[in-house]
Amino acid sequence: DSGVTQTPKHLITATGQRVTLRCSPRSGDLSVYWYQQSLDQGLQFLIQYYNGEERAKGNILERFSAQQFPDLHSELNLSSLELGDSALYFCASSPRGGQGNNEQFFGPGTRLTVL
Amino acid sequence: GDSVTQMEGPVTLSEEAFLTINCTYTATGYPSPFWYVQYPGEGLQLLLKATKADDKGSNKGFEATYRKETTSFHLEKGSVQVSDSAVYFCALSRNNQGGKLIFGQGTELSVKP
């Protein structure tokens, strides 16, 4: 158990809908990272928050947004869903925000299926 | 941009066989390499890492040496077990990019008894 929790575990929805994925980092970790794992794209970095502020952005679509709240949990919002958004979404946390050799602790993921 | 290339799978080995999974990367500056492992139905776990050139990371019998001159971080294990069956991901991050991880495509390992 990494100490990172993600809810829900599975999500099935229809095209055009909007969903929210939730992540609680390990106690004391200030950084939260979101990744998308799909068969065709592999594991891709989406976005990072550090202590409530956006720190880095990757290949995140404009239909997707995220935020980190004062209690440090984070939410990833996916809107106008398309079939291609079906994937496993991972959240990871780390104690600090910028160090390259900083270990990241991954949650179990949320499997999103768009029908 | 930065990229990571690792050998394609699936790799199938018999128990107690020697394992090598190649990983090379393209990156500027001073990246930090990692190996993560994903067991079926689970999230990723850090397997090992290196912090500077010629560092050897090791954990659970796995080893990898960070070779800056060949931009490589190959994963090795002398004697694999059935319980090592998983998907292995090579990754790197850089200090000036917030610590985000750039992953290779993953290598699926299946160990048969």
Side-chain angles (χ1 to χ4, degrees), chain A residues 77-113:
Chain A
N77 300 296
L78 316 177
S79 61
S80 303
L81 285 167
E82 302 174 0
L83 296 177
D85 298 327
S86 295
L88 198 49
Y89 291 84
F90 286 109
C91 164
S93 72
S94 68
R96 299 179 297 276
Q99 287 73 18
N101 60 8
N102 211 8
E103 177 181 355
Q104 293 181 26
F105 298 85
F106 281 76
T110 293
R111 182 169 294 283
L112 173 67
T113 303

PDB file of all heavy atoms in Angstrom, chain A residues 77-113:
ATOM      1  N   ASN A  77     -10.675  16.656 -13.541  1.00  0.00           N
ATOM      2  CA  ASN A  77     -11.978  16.764 -14.187  1.00  0.00           C
ATOM      3  C   ASN A  77     -11.826  16.524 -15.681  1.00  0.00           C
ATOM      4  O   ASN A  77     -11.010  17.167 -16.348  1.00  0.00           O
ATOM      5  CB  ASN A  77     -12.562  18.160 -13.960  1.00  0.00           C
ATOM      6  CG  ASN A  77     -12.748  18.448 -12.486  1.00  0.00           C
ATOM      7  OD1 ASN A  77     -13.526  17.800 -11.811  1.00  0.00           O
ATOM      8  ND2 ASN A  77     -12.001  19.424 -11.969  1.00  0.00           N
ATOM      9  N   LEU A  78     -12.615  15.597 -16.193  1.00  0.00           N
ATOM     10  CA  LEU A  78     -12.582  15.264 -17.617  1.00  0.00           C
ATOM     11  C   LEU A  78     -13.966  15.569 -18.183  1.00  0.00           C
ATOM     12  O   LEU A  78     -14.971  15.039 -17.697  1.00  0.00           O
ATOM     13  CB  LEU A  78     -12.245  13.785 -17.821  1.00  0.00           C
ATOM     14  CG  LEU A  78     -11.105  13.211 -16.969  1.00  0.00           C
ATOM     15  CD1 LEU A  78     -10.952  11.715 -17.236  1.00  0.00           C
ATOM     16  CD2 LEU A  78      -9.797  13.918 -17.256  1.00  0.00           C
ATOM     17  N   SER A  79     -14.020  16.415 -19.209  1.00  0.00           N
ATOM     18  CA  SER A  79     -15.336  16.796 -19.746  1.00  0.00           C
ATOM     19  C   SER A  79     -15.415  16.466 -21.236  1.00  0.00           C
ATOM     20  O   SER A  79     -14.411  16.163 -21.886  1.00  0.00           O
ATOM     21  CB  SER A  79     -15.575  18.287 -19.516  1.00  0.00           C
ATOM     22  OG  SER A  79     -14.603  19.044 -20.183  1.00  0.00           O
ATOM     23  N   SER A  80     -16.643  16.537 -21.749  1.00  0.00           N
ATOM     24  CA  SER A  80     -16.910  16.222 -23.168  1.00  0.00           C
ATOM     25  C   SER A  80     -16.188  14.945 -23.565  1.00  0.00           C
ATOM     26  O   SER A  80     -15.450  14.895 -24.558  1.00  0.00           O
ATOM     27  CB  SER A  80     -16.471  17.382 -24.069  1.00  0.00           C
ATOM     28  OG  SER A  80     -17.122  18.575 -23.703  1.00  0.00           O
ATOM     29  N   LEU A  81     -16.412  13.908 -22.786  1.00  0.00           N
ATOM     30  CA  LEU A  81     -15.641  12.680 -22.937  1.00  0.00           C
ATOM     31  C   LEU A  81     -15.808  12.036 -24.302  1.00  0.00           C
ATOM     32  O   LEU A  81     -16.910  12.049 -24.892  1.00  0.00           O
ATOM     33  CB  LEU A  81     -16.018  11.691 -21.836  1.00  0.00           C
ATOM     34  CG  LEU A  81     -15.438  12.037 -20.464  1.00  0.00           C
ATOM     35  CD1 LEU A  81     -16.104  11.203 -19.387  1.00  0.00           C
ATOM     36  CD2 LEU A  81     -13.929  11.838 -20.444  1.00  0.00           C
ATOM     37  N   GLU A  82     -14.705  11.495 -24.788  1.00  0.00           N
ATOM     38  CA  GLU A  82     -14.667  10.782 -26.053  1.00  0.00           C
ATOM     39  C   GLU A  82     -14.232   9.353 -25.795  1.00  0.00           C
ATOM     40  O   GLU A  82     -13.650   9.045 -24.745  1.00  0.00           O
ATOM     41  CB  GLU A  82     -13.699  11.483 -27.015  1.00  0.00           C
ATOM     42  CG  GLU A  82     -14.046  12.927 -27.282  1.00  0.00           C
ATOM     43  CD  GLU A  82     -12.994  13.631 -28.130  1.00  0.00           C
ATOM     44  OE1 GLU A  82     -11.988  12.989 -28.505  1.00  0.00           O
ATOM     45  OE2 GLU A  82     -13.187  14.832 -28.425  1.00  0.00           O
ATOM     46  N   LEU A  83     -14.505   8.486 -26.786  1.00  0.00           N
ATOM     47  CA  LEU A  83     -14.121   7.083 -26.644  1.00  0.00           C
ATOM     48  C   LEU A  83     -12.635   6.951 -26.330  1.00  0.00           C
ATOM     49  O   LEU A  83     -12.217   6.102 -25.534  1.00  0.00           O
ATOM     50  CB  LEU A  83     -14.461   6.310 -27.913  1.00  0.00           C
ATOM     51  CG  LEU A  83     -15.938   6.191 -28.276  1.00  0.00           C
ATOM     52  CD1 LEU A  83     -16.104   5.461 -29.608  1.00  0.00           C
ATOM     53  CD2 LEU A  83     -16.714   5.485 -27.177  1.00  0.00           C
ATOM     54  N   GLY A  84     -11.837   7.792 -26.959  1.00  0.00           N
ATOM     55  CA  GLY A  84     -10.385   7.725 -26.792  1.00  0.00           C
ATOM     56  C   GLY A  84      -9.893   8.131 -25.420  1.00  0.00           C
ATOM     57  O   GLY A  84      -8.716   7.976 -25.123  1.00  0.00           O
ATOM     58  N   ASP A  85     -10.777   8.649 -24.577  1.00  0.00           N
ATOM     59  CA  ASP A  85     -10.375   9.015 -23.215  1.00  0.00           C
ATOM     60  C   ASP A  85     -10.387   7.810 -22.282  1.00  0.00           C
ATOM     61  O   ASP A  85      -9.939   7.910 -21.132  1.00  0.00           O
ATOM     62  CB  ASP A  85     -11.303  10.094 -22.652  1.00  0.00           C
ATOM     63  CG  ASP A  85     -11.259  11.381 -23.461  1.00  0.00           C
ATOM     64  OD1 ASP A  85     -10.173  11.697 -24.002  1.00  0.00           O
ATOM     65  OD2 ASP A  85     -12.300  12.049 -23.565  1.00  0.00           O
ATOM     66  N   SER A  86     -10.885   6.694 -22.766  1.00  0.00           N
ATOM     67  CA  SER A  86     -10.889   5.473 -21.958  1.00  0.00           C
ATOM     68  C   SER A  86      -9.449   5.093 -21.646  1.00  0.00           C
ATOM     69  O   SER A  86      -8.626   4.939 -22.564  1.00  0.00           O
ATOM     70  CB  SER A  86     -11.565   4.331 -22.724  1.00  0.00           C
ATOM     71  OG  SER A  86     -12.928   4.610 -22.939  1.00  0.00           O
ATOM     72  N   ALA A  87      -9.145   4.974 -20.382  1.00  0.00           N
ATOM     73  CA  ALA A  87      -7.766   4.721 -19.961  1.00  0.00           C
ATOM     74  C   ALA A  87      -7.748   4.497 -18.456  1.00  0.00           C
ATOM     75  O   ALA A  87      -8.769   4.604 -17.777  1.00  0.00           O
ATOM     76  CB  ALA A  87      -6.867   5.921 -20.310  1.00  0.00           C
ATOM     77  N   LEU A  88      -6.539   4.184 -17.979  1.00  0.00           N
ATOM     78  CA  LEU A  88      -6.303   4.103 -16.537  1.00  0.00           C
ATOM     79  C   LEU A  88      -5.639   5.416 -16.133  1.00  0.00           C
ATOM     80  O   LEU A  88      -4.649   5.830 -16.750  1.00  0.00           O
ATOM     81  CB  LEU A  88      -5.376   2.921 -16.285  1.00  0.00           C
ATOM     82  CG  LEU A  88      -5.249   2.299 -14.907  1.00  0.00           C
ATOM     83  CD1 LEU A  88      -6.588   2.008 -14.291  1.00  0.00           C
ATOM     84  CD2 LEU A  88      -4.420   1.032 -14.992  1.00  0.00           C
ATOM     85  N   TYR A  89      -6.197   6.081 -15.147  1.00  0.00           N
ATOM     86  CA  TYR A  89      -5.650   7.361 -14.696  1.00  0.00           C
ATOM     87  C   TYR A  89      -5.027   7.159 -13.325  1.00  0.00           C
ATOM     88  O   TYR A  89      -5.687   6.744 -12.379  1.00  0.00           O
ATOM     89  CB  TYR A  89      -6.753   8.421 -14.648  1.00  0.00           C
ATOM     90  CG  TYR A  89      -7.231   8.800 -16.030  1.00  0.00           C
ATOM     91  CD1 TYR A  89      -8.204   8.043 -16.675  1.00  0.00           C
ATOM     92  CD2 TYR A  89      -6.671   9.881 -16.703  1.00  0.00           C
ATOM     93  CE1 TYR A  89      -8.619   8.354 -17.957  1.00  0.00           C
ATOM     94  CE2 TYR A  89      -7.084  10.205 -17.989  1.00  0.00           C
ATOM     95  CZ  TYR A  89      -8.057   9.432 -18.602  1.00  0.00           C
ATOM     96  OH  TYR A  89      -8.456   9.744 -19.882  1.00  0.00           O
ATOM     97  N   PHE A  90      -3.737   7.468 -13.254  1.00  0.00           N
ATOM     98  CA  PHE A  90      -2.997   7.318 -12.012  1.00  0.00           C
ATOM     99  C   PHE A  90      -2.704   8.674 -11.400  1.00  0.00           C
ATOM    100  O   PHE A  90      -2.395   9.647 -12.094  1.00  0.00           O
ATOM    101  CB  PHE A  90      -1.653   6.619 -12.250  1.00  0.00           C
ATOM    102  CG  PHE A  90      -1.754   5.153 -12.506  1.00  0.00           C
ATOM    103  CD1 PHE A  90      -1.502   4.640 -13.764  1.00  0.00           C
ATOM    104  CD2 PHE A  90      -2.091   4.273 -11.486  1.00  0.00           C
ATOM    105  CE1 PHE A  90      -1.591   3.277 -14.008  1.00  0.00           C
ATOM    106  CE2 PHE A  90      -2.181   2.914 -11.715  1.00  0.00           C
ATOM    107  CZ  PHE A  90      -1.931   2.420 -12.983  1.00  0.00           C
ATOM    108  N   CYS A  91      -2.739   8.688 -10.096  1.00  0.00           N
ATOM    109  CA  CYS A  91      -2.280   9.816  -9.329  1.00  0.00           C
ATOM    110  C   CYS A  91      -1.023   9.362  -8.583  1.00  0.00           C
ATOM    111  O   CYS A  91      -0.927   8.196  -8.172  1.00  0.00           O
ATOM    112  CB  CYS A  91      -3.382  10.205  -8.345  1.00  0.00           C
ATOM    113  SG  CYS A  91      -2.881  11.279  -7.019  1.00  0.00           S
ATOM    114  N   ALA A  92      -0.077  10.250  -8.448  1.00  0.00           N
ATOM    115  CA  ALA A  92       1.124   9.954  -7.671  1.00  0.00           C
ATOM    116  C   ALA A  92       1.433  11.150  -6.787  1.00  0.00           C
ATOM    117  O   ALA A  92       1.045  12.278  -7.097  1.00  0.00           O
ATOM    118  CB  ALA A  92       2.310   9.669  -8.592  1.00  0.00           C
ATOM    119  N   SER A  93       2.103  10.893  -5.675  1.00  0.00           N
ATOM    120  CA  SER A  93       2.484  12.013  -4.819  1.00  0.00           C
ATOM    121  C   SER A  93       3.954  11.896  -4.434  1.00  0.00           C
ATOM    122  O   SER A  93       4.556  10.819  -4.499  1.00  0.00           O
ATOM    123  CB  SER A  93       1.611  12.080  -3.561  1.00  0.00           C
ATOM    124  OG  SER A  93       1.903  11.057  -2.632  1.00  0.00           O
ATOM    125  N   SER A  94       4.534  13.023  -4.081  1.00  0.00           N
ATOM    126  CA  SER A  94       5.910  13.046  -3.589  1.00  0.00           C
ATOM    127  C   SER A  94       6.026  14.157  -2.554  1.00  0.00           C
ATOM    128  O   SER A  94       5.226  15.091  -2.549  1.00  0.00           O
ATOM    129  CB  SER A  94       6.909  13.243  -4.727  1.00  0.00           C
ATOM    130  OG  SER A  94       6.792  14.540  -5.267  1.00  0.00           O
ATOM    131  N   PRO A  95       7.042  14.044  -1.694  1.00  0.00           N
ATOM    132  CA  PRO A  95       7.159  15.021  -0.605  1.00  0.00           C
ATOM    133  C   PRO A  95       7.383  16.450  -1.081  1.00  0.00           C
ATOM    134  O   PRO A  95       6.856  17.394  -0.505  1.00  0.00           O
ATOM    135  CB  PRO A  95       8.370  14.516   0.190  1.00  0.00           C
ATOM    136  CG  PRO A  95       8.472  13.082  -0.147  1.00  0.00           C
ATOM    137  CD  PRO A  95       8.010  12.962  -1.570  1.00  0.00           C
ATOM    138  N   ARG A  96       8.197  16.575  -2.173  1.00  0.00           N
ATOM    139  CA  ARG A  96       8.562  17.911  -2.615  1.00  0.00           C
ATOM    140  C   ARG A  96       8.123  18.100  -4.056  1.00  0.00           C
ATOM    141  O   ARG A  96       7.498  17.235  -4.646  1.00  0.00           O
ATOM    142  CB  ARG A  96      10.075  18.108  -2.458  1.00  0.00           C
ATOM    143  CG  ARG A  96      10.547  17.968  -1.016  1.00  0.00           C
ATOM    144  CD  ARG A  96      12.047  18.132  -0.899  1.00  0.00           C
ATOM    145  NE  ARG A  96      12.804  17.124  -1.608  1.00  0.00           N
ATOM    146  CZ  ARG A  96      13.096  15.915  -1.128  1.00  0.00           C
ATOM    147  NH1 ARG A  96      12.669  15.575   0.065  1.00  0.00           N
ATOM    148  NH2 ARG A  96      13.818  15.075  -1.831  1.00  0.00           N
ATOM    149  N   GLY A  97       8.511  19.224  -4.660  1.00  0.00           N
ATOM    150  CA  GLY A  97       7.925  19.548  -5.947  1.00  0.00           C
ATOM    151  C   GLY A  97       8.835  19.519  -7.142  1.00  0.00           C
ATOM    152  O   GLY A  97       8.381  19.372  -8.250  1.00  0.00           O
ATOM    153  N   GLY A  98      10.127  19.660  -6.941  1.00  0.00           N
ATOM    154  CA  GLY A  98      10.920  19.891  -8.134  1.00  0.00           C
ATOM    155  C   GLY A  98      12.115  18.999  -8.321  1.00  0.00           C
ATOM    156  O   GLY A  98      12.727  19.015  -9.362  1.00  0.00           O
ATOM    157  N   GLN A  99      12.435  18.206  -7.331  1.00  0.00           N
ATOM    158  CA  GLN A  99      13.662  17.441  -7.422  1.00  0.00           C
ATOM    159  C   GLN A  99      13.497  16.256  -8.358  1.00  0.00           C
ATOM    160  O   GLN A  99      12.590  15.453  -8.214  1.00  0.00           O
ATOM    161  CB  GLN A  99      14.075  16.932  -6.038  1.00  0.00           C
ATOM    162  CG  GLN A  99      14.609  18.014  -5.138  1.00  0.00           C
ATOM    163  CD  GLN A  99      13.528  18.952  -4.626  1.00  0.00           C
ATOM    164  OE1 GLN A  99      12.371  18.633  -4.670  1.00  0.00           O
ATOM    165  NE2 GLN A  99      13.947  20.119  -4.165  1.00  0.00           N
ATOM    166  N   GLY A 100      14.405  16.147  -9.315  1.00  0.00           N
ATOM    167  CA  GLY A 100      14.291  15.105 -10.315  1.00  0.00           C
ATOM    168  C   GLY A 100      14.435  13.715  -9.776  1.00  0.00           C
ATOM    169  O   GLY A 100      13.874  12.782 -10.323  1.00  0.00           O
ATOM    170  N   ASN A 101      15.184  13.541  -8.689  1.00  0.00           N
ATOM    171  CA  ASN A 101      15.366  12.186  -8.180  1.00  0.00           C
ATOM    172  C   ASN A 101      14.408  11.860  -7.041  1.00  0.00           C
ATOM    173  O   ASN A 101      14.640  10.937  -6.264  1.00  0.00           O
ATOM    174  CB  ASN A 101      16.813  11.987  -7.729  1.00  0.00           C
ATOM    175  CG  ASN A 101      17.203  12.963  -6.636  1.00  0.00           C
ATOM    176  OD1 ASN A 101      16.365  13.688  -6.120  1.00  0.00           O
ATOM    177  ND2 ASN A 101      18.463  12.971  -6.275  1.00  0.00           N
ATOM    178  N   ASN A 102      13.341  12.639  -6.982  1.00  0.00           N
ATOM    179  CA  ASN A 102      12.350  12.451  -5.940  1.00  0.00           C
ATOM    180  C   ASN A 102      11.426  11.297  -6.284  1.00  0.00           C
ATOM    181  O   ASN A 102      10.812  11.284  -7.343  1.00  0.00           O
ATOM    182  CB  ASN A 102      11.522  13.740  -5.850  1.00  0.00           C
ATOM    183  CG  ASN A 102      11.037  14.006  -4.472  1.00  0.00           C
ATOM    184  OD1 ASN A 102      11.418  13.335  -3.533  1.00  0.00           O
ATOM    185  ND2 ASN A 102      10.181  14.997  -4.339  1.00  0.00           N
ATOM    186  N   GLU A 103      11.342  10.294  -5.402  1.00  0.00           N
ATOM    187  CA  GLU A 103      10.472   9.168  -5.676  1.00  0.00           C
ATOM    188  C   GLU A 103       9.011   9.602  -5.667  1.00  0.00           C
ATOM    189  O   GLU A 103       8.601  10.406  -4.833  1.00  0.00           O
ATOM    190  CB  GLU A 103      10.674   8.084  -4.614  1.00  0.00           C
ATOM    191  CG  GLU A 103       9.747   6.886  -4.789  1.00  0.00           C
ATOM    192  CD  GLU A 103       9.947   5.831  -3.728  1.00  0.00           C
ATOM    193  OE1 GLU A 103      10.867   5.966  -2.901  1.00  0.00           O
ATOM    194  OE2 GLU A 103       9.160   4.860  -3.726  1.00  0.00           O
ATOM    195  N   GLN A 104       8.255   9.068  -6.585  1.00  0.00           N
ATOM    196  CA  GLN A 104       6.815   9.298  -6.614  1.00  0.00           C
ATOM    197  C   GLN A 104       6.100   8.012  -6.195  1.00  0.00           C
ATOM    198  O   GLN A 104       6.480   6.920  -6.602  1.00  0.00           O
ATOM    199  CB  GLN A 104       6.355   9.708  -8.017  1.00  0.00           C
ATOM    200  CG  GLN A 104       6.881  11.074  -8.424  1.00  0.00           C
ATOM    201  CD  GLN A 104       6.421  11.505  -9.798  1.00  0.00           C
ATOM    202  OE1 GLN A 104       5.374  11.075 -10.287  1.00  0.00           O
ATOM    203  NE2 GLN A 104       7.189  12.379 -10.425  1.00  0.00           N
ATOM    204  N   PHE A 105       5.059   8.161  -5.385  1.00  0.00           N
ATOM    205  CA  PHE A 105       4.271   7.044  -4.879  1.00  0.00           C
ATOM    206  C   PHE A 105       2.931   7.037  -5.599  1.00  0.00           C
ATOM    207  O   PHE A 105       2.211   8.045  -5.580  1.00  0.00           O
ATOM    208  CB  PHE A 105       4.085   7.178  -3.367  1.00  0.00           C
ATOM    209  CG  PHE A 105       5.380   7.139  -2.610  1.00  0.00           C
ATOM    210  CD1 PHE A 105       6.149   8.281  -2.433  1.00  0.00           C
ATOM    211  CD2 PHE A 105       5.853   5.944  -2.094  1.00  0.00           C
ATOM    212  CE1 PHE A 105       7.356   8.258  -1.760  1.00  0.00           C
ATOM    213  CE2 PHE A 105       7.061   5.899  -1.404  1.00  0.00           C
ATOM    214  CZ  PHE A 105       7.814   7.054  -1.242  1.00  0.00           C
ATOM    215  N   PHE A 106       2.636   5.915  -6.234  1.00  0.00           N
ATOM    216  CA  PHE A 106       1.462   5.844  -7.097  1.00  0.00           C
ATOM    217  C   PHE A 106       0.257   5.238  -6.381  1.00  0.00           C
ATOM    218  O   PHE A 106       0.385   4.296  -5.595  1.00  0.00           O
ATOM    219  CB  PHE A 106       1.774   5.009  -8.342  1.00  0.00           C
ATOM    220  CG  PHE A 106       2.553   5.760  -9.376  1.00  0.00           C
ATOM    221  CD1 PHE A 106       3.907   5.984  -9.212  1.00  0.00           C
ATOM    222  CD2 PHE A 106       1.929   6.265 -10.506  1.00  0.00           C
ATOM    223  CE1 PHE A 106       4.633   6.692 -10.158  1.00  0.00           C
ATOM    224  CE2 PHE A 106       2.647   6.965 -11.460  1.00  0.00           C
ATOM    225  CZ  PHE A 106       4.000   7.189 -11.279  1.00  0.00           C
ATOM    226  N   GLY A 107      -0.912   5.780  -6.722  1.00  0.00           N
ATOM    227  CA  GLY A 107      -2.158   5.181  -6.276  1.00  0.00           C
ATOM    228  C   GLY A 107      -2.521   4.001  -7.170  1.00  0.00           C
ATOM    229  O   GLY A 107      -1.849   3.727  -8.156  1.00  0.00           O
ATOM    230  N   PRO A 108      -3.605   3.298  -6.829  1.00  0.00           N
ATOM    231  CA  PRO A 108      -4.011   2.106  -7.587  1.00  0.00           C
ATOM    232  C   PRO A 108      -4.662   2.421  -8.924  1.00  0.00           C
ATOM    233  O   PRO A 108      -4.852   1.522  -9.740  1.00  0.00           O
ATOM    234  CB  PRO A 108      -5.005   1.424  -6.651  1.00  0.00           C
ATOM    235  CG  PRO A 108      -5.553   2.537  -5.825  1.00  0.00           C
ATOM    236  CD  PRO A 108      -4.452   3.524  -5.654  1.00  0.00           C
ATOM    237  N   GLY A 109      -5.006   3.698  -9.148  1.00  0.00           N
ATOM    238  CA  GLY A 109      -5.571   4.085 -10.436  1.00  0.00           C
ATOM    239  C   GLY A 109      -7.092   4.069 -10.476  1.00  0.00           C
ATOM    240  O   GLY A 109      -7.747   3.401  -9.675  1.00  0.00           O
ATOM    241  N   THR A 110      -7.635   4.834 -11.410  1.00  0.00           N
ATOM    242  CA  THR A 110      -9.064   4.814 -11.732  1.00  0.00           C
ATOM    243  C   THR A 110      -9.193   4.392 -13.178  1.00  0.00           C
ATOM    244  O   THR A 110      -8.609   5.025 -14.067  1.00  0.00           O
ATOM    245  CB  THR A 110      -9.708   6.206 -11.556  1.00  0.00           C
ATOM    246  OG1 THR A 110      -9.711   6.564 -10.175  1.00  0.00           O
ATOM    247  CG2 THR A 110     -11.133   6.203 -12.087  1.00  0.00           C
ATOM    248  N   ARG A 111      -9.939   3.314 -13.397  1.00  0.00           N
ATOM    249  CA  ARG A 111     -10.149   2.850 -14.775  1.00  0.00           C
ATOM    250  C   ARG A 111     -11.404   3.508 -15.321  1.00  0.00           C
ATOM    251  O   ARG A 111     -12.499   3.268 -14.822  1.00  0.00           O
ATOM    252  CB  ARG A 111     -10.261   1.336 -14.856  1.00  0.00           C
ATOM    253  CG  ARG A 111     -10.432   0.843 -16.293  1.00  0.00           C
ATOM    254  CD  ARG A 111     -10.275  -0.649 -16.427  1.00  0.00           C
ATOM    255  NE  ARG A 111      -8.941  -1.117 -16.150  1.00  0.00           N
ATOM    256  CZ  ARG A 111      -7.910  -1.015 -16.982  1.00  0.00           C
ATOM    257  NH1 ARG A 111      -8.054  -0.439 -18.154  1.00  0.00           N
ATOM    258  NH2 ARG A 111      -6.725  -1.501 -16.647  1.00  0.00           N
ATOM    259  N   LEU A 112     -11.223   4.339 -16.340  1.00  0.00           N
ATOM    260  CA  LEU A 112     -12.340   5.038 -16.979  1.00  0.00           C
ATOM    261  C   LEU A 112     -12.685   4.350 -18.286  1.00  0.00           C
ATOM    262  O   LEU A 112     -11.812   4.148 -19.138  1.00  0.00           O
ATOM    263  CB  LEU A 112     -11.966   6.500 -17.253  1.00  0.00           C
ATOM    264  CG  LEU A 112     -12.986   7.303 -18.071  1.00  0.00           C
ATOM    265  CD1 LEU A 112     -14.277   7.486 -17.288  1.00  0.00           C
ATOM    266  CD2 LEU A 112     -12.395   8.656 -18.475  1.00  0.00           C
ATOM    267  N   THR A 113     -13.948   4.005 -18.441  1.00  0.00           N
ATOM    268  CA  THR A 113     -14.452   3.438 -19.692  1.00  0.00           C
ATOM    269  C   THR A 113     -15.517   4.362 -20.231  1.00  0.00           C
ATOM    270  O   THR A 113     -16.503   4.648 -19.543  1.00  0.00           O
ATOM    271  CB  THR A 113     -15.040   2.032 -19.474  1.00  0.00           C
ATOM    272  OG1 THR A 113     -14.040   1.190 -18.897  1.00  0.00           O
ATOM    273  CG2 THR A 113     -15.514   1.445 -20.791  1.00  0.00           C
TER     274      THR A 113
END
